[in-house]
Amino acid sequence: MSFSISELLENKQDQQFNLYHQYLNHQLLNVLKTLGFNKKYVRAENQYLFDSEGLRYLDLLSGYGVFSFGRNHPQIIKAVKETLDLGLANMVQFDAPLLAACLAEKLAQFLPPELNKFFFCNSGTEAIEGAIKFARAATKRPKMLSCDSAFHGLTTGSLALNGSEIFKKDFYPLLAAETVPFNDLEALEAALKTKQFSCFVLEPIQGKTVKIPDPDYLPQASALCQKYNTLFIIDEVQTGVGRTGKFLASQHWPEAQADIITLSKALSGGLVPVGVIAMKPWIFEKIYRNMEHAVIHSCTFGRNDLAMTAALATLDVLESEDMMTQAAIKGKKLLSLLREKLLPFEMVKEVRGLGMMIGIEFCPPKSLKLKAGWTLLEAANKGLFCQLIVIPLFRDFRLLTQVAGPNCHVVKLLPPITMSDSDIEETANAFQQVVAMAHNFPGAIWDLGKTLAKHSWAKT
Ligand code: PLP
């Protein structure tokens, strides 16, 4: 009998959670069960997921930002199938693959002209790992600088740049790195002045808090890096490829000049993982300085034909469907509707965002009744309140959202740019109803809070 994935999926569907529990991350499964997110998804189309009971979910998480252009985009699938059918000589390794060269040529059209040398890899964290190596080789300074609320990936190099101790504490010693507060130019200059840092690595919008920089932050940070001979690495892994209404989020501040830019996530079209480091040629040449060093930084799958194809097709879709304009227009609409419906509530501190990257920040209530509930949750786990928003959004309205990061009070939306006007209205209305419920104490939402507070995962 020939091997069939459809048959395998059908035959094993009943065992899905048991197998996952036995062989994979059982703690994640426990979290999913506790929060009620343990659904069996069987199909996805554009902005929607469908579960085994035929229920439809609006995906406002888009695989952590991978599906900016929707899931299973027919044009990207077609391109990948075409490449498979061509029977190309993929990953010869001792060759100069045409599709990689074509992707580099295409990317150069979207990026600042001085960033015209590229290294392809497989993920966001791998792009950051590579960027760290290029920066260290170029400056001969071992230490790195990042922001206190930063997230740049979870392998041991990029982990050192992470602002949050919860991700790092089990893994010391890490590479030498320090953090400065986001949006604080004085602190940045004080650190850079020491001239010990190879690079300052920055997400233009902080993914774990959806903090947006002050208007002069990126331009001034870029000038300070130049002044103290520190490379400015802008991490656009989450914000890049059109999500914020421009190809790069940092292009909203055109005076900011990066030395290195990292991309990944959406560039894959959600089909084949890909990562990119784009940089100035002089930095590239510090590693690839002669033939002996031609493969000093390399990876086996980096330039593979399927990833290059998915990225080329994704960039084609970006242009043909005018995704950047769509992200700008829809993002503005979603942001203003959410502001209109949520800002009147006392526990909503701010609704902020750029394009299709939006954060809703909550704050402690003033009224005594609500305060009791909030304090109970905070004592169990800082940031637990946001689960009281995310869970009913999913359970009652079938909207998939996330808490932006550990210990924070921000619910984050990274919707597919392709979501419709009626999805936008549905989202804002659902948020309004759930946030209204959260302002009713006692009530069903706070009962859920008590149950969550009791769970051991809150404290470990
Ligand atoms: N950099 C940023 C800004 C990210 O948001 C992420 C992931 O969320 C990464 C790097 C790491 O990417 P990956 O999960 O592909 O390793």
Side-chain angles (χ1 to χ4, degrees):
M1 218 169 69
S2 65
F3 176 73
S4 157
I5 284 289
S6 344
E7 275 174 28
L8 180 79
L9 287 170
E10 204 179 317
N11 294 340
K12 294 279 189 181
Q13 203 190 56
D14 291 347
Q15 300 169 52
Q16 181 170 345
F17 292 146
N18 287 344
L19 287 174
Y20 198 95
H21 191 276
Q22 186 176 351
Y23 294 110
L24 295 166
N25 184 347
H26 57 284
Q27 292 297 6
L28 175 62
L29 195 58
N30 291 340
V31 171
L32 295 179
K33 283 181 180 164
T34 305
L35 302 182
F37 280 66
N38 50 333
K39 303 290 173 192
K40 293 180 177 176
Y41 299 104
V42 292
R43 198 168 68 77
E45 197 182 311
N46 197 351
Q47 70 272 46
Y48 302 119
L49 299 163
F50 299 87
D51 73 9
S52 52
E53 291 165 31
L55 295 173
R56 192 190 84 172
Y57 300 78
L58 176 58
D59 177 12
L60 302 173
L61 172 59
S62 60
Y64 291 147
V66 162
F67 298 102
S68 287
F69 303 167
R71 288 172 188 264
N72 295 319
H73 194 291
Q75 209 168 307
I76 308 173
I77 289 184
K78 181 169 166 275
V80 170
K81 280 185 177 166
E82 192 183 345
T83 292
L84 278 172
D85 288 343
L86 284 172
L88 299 176
N90 193 10
M91 290 188 286
V92 176
Q93 308 298 2
F94 289 112
D95 71 337
L98 177 57
L99 285 175
C102 291
L103 177 57
E105 183 192 34
K106 189 75 201 169
L107 275 170
Q109 293 169 15
F110 292 98
L111 295 177
E114 64 278 11
L115 301 183
N116 57 15
K117 278 292 205 180
F118 301 92
F119 180 86
F120 291 121
C121 53
N122 309 283
S123 67
T125 200
E126 207 186 327
I128 293 292
E129 295 288 337
I132 291 171
K133 282 178 73 182
F134 278 104
R136 286 166 60 138
T139 60
K140 306 287 179 233
R141 296 176 184 170
K143 229 172 167 180
M144 289 99 60
L145 189 65
S146 61
C147 281
D148 59 358
S149 47
F151 185 88
H152 298 287
L154 295 177
T155 50
T156 48
S158 58
L159 191 58
L161 303 170
N162 211 303
S164 170
E165 204 46 40
I166 191 165
F167 287 109
K168 297 193 286 193
K169 63 183 168 51
D170 288 339
F171 306 104
Y172 284 112
L174 297 168
L175 287 180
E178 285 181 24
T179 59
V180 284
F182 180 68
N183 252 341
D184 185 338
L185 288 166
E186 239 174 75
L188 178 63
E189 177 151 28
L192 292 177
K193 234 182 213 166
T194 63
K195 296 198 173 173
Q196 44 175 336
F197 299 104
S198 55
C199 52
F200 174 48
V201 188
L202 179 73
E203 298 154 272
I205 300 171
Q206 303 280 282
K208 290 287 174 208
T209 52
V210 199
K211 279 189 204 156
I212 298 181
D214 294 338
D216 63 341
Y217 186 60
L218 262 82
Q220 291 295 325
S222 144
L224 287 172
C225 285
Q226 223 167 19
K227 183 171 170 189
Y228 296 108
N229 294 324
T230 304
L231 298 188
F232 189 27
I233 301 179
I234 303 190
D235 180 356
E236 297 263 9
V237 163
Q238 186 165 144
T239 48
V241 198
R243 172 155 294 282
T244 69
K246 293 195 184 285
F247 187 76
L248 304 172
S250 52
Q251 286 166 336
H252 289 280
W253 300 275
E255 316 89 275
Q257 289 183 4
D259 297 292
I260 298 178
I261 278 179
T262 51
L263 290 169
S264 183
K265 290 197 190 269
L267 187 61
S268 67
L271 278 187
V272 190
V274 66
V276 186
I277 315 167
M279 71 197 93
K280 294 178 174 170
W282 75 265
I283 301 168
F284 198 77
E285 280 151 24
K286 288 289 176 185
I287 284 192
Y288 302 116
R289 56 189 176 276
N290 54 32
M291 284 197 279
E292 194 189 352
H293 289 81
V295 289
I296 285 302
H297 186 66
S298 64
C299 62
T300 304
F301 288 105
R303 302 163 297 158
N304 77 81
D305 285 342
L306 290 183
M308 302 298 100
T309 299
L312 279 161
T314 297
L315 293 177
D316 191 71
V317 168
L318 175 92
E319 287 181 310
S320 64
E321 297 186 25
D322 205 0
M323 289 293 182
M324 292 188 261
T325 309
Q326 282 204 60
I329 293 172
K330 291 180 187 174
K332 227 177 230 173
K333 182 167 180 189
L334 181 56
L335 190 67
S336 79
L337 261 186
L338 286 168
R339 280 182 174 154
E340 178 194 315
K341 291 185 188 282
L342 300 185
L343 285 178
F345 290 102
E346 68 165 292
M347 282 191 285
V348 176
K349 183 177 175 188
E350 195 181 13
V351 181
R352 54 180 179 259
L354 196 54
M356 293 298 251
M357 185 167 180
I358 291 177
I360 297 131
E361 181 165 4
F362 295 88
C363 59
K366 291 193 182 75
S367 53
L368 284 177
K369 264 186 176 179
L370 287 172
K371 240 185 204 166
W374 177 280
T375 311
L376 174 89
L377 285 183
E378 289 294 288
N381 183 292
K382 187 167 183 282
L384 197 52
F385 172 79
C386 284
Q387 299 293 0
L388 303 195
I389 305 298
V390 165
I391 293 172
L393 277 173
F394 184 72
R395 185 191 58 201
D396 304 338
F397 296 91
R398 296 202 290 275
L399 298 190
L400 182 60
T401 60
Q402 68 175 128
V403 181
N407 305 324
C408 90
H409 298 123
V410 179
V411 173
K412 179 162 113 177
L413 307 183
L414 278 182
I417 294 168
T418 49
M419 79 191 286
S420 66
D421 282 352
S422 69
D423 293 328
I424 290 177
E425 274 151 33
E426 187 185 323
T427 300
N429 288 335
F431 261 96
Q432 185 181 34
Q433 290 180 61
V434 169
V435 173
M437 283 195 283
H439 283 73
N440 244 335
F441 185 90
I445 280 203
W446 292 98
D447 290 343
L448 169 69
K450 267 191 231 157
T451 314
L452 288 182
K454 275 190 212 137
H455 270 278
S456 60
W457 65 273
K459 270 286 181 201
T460 50

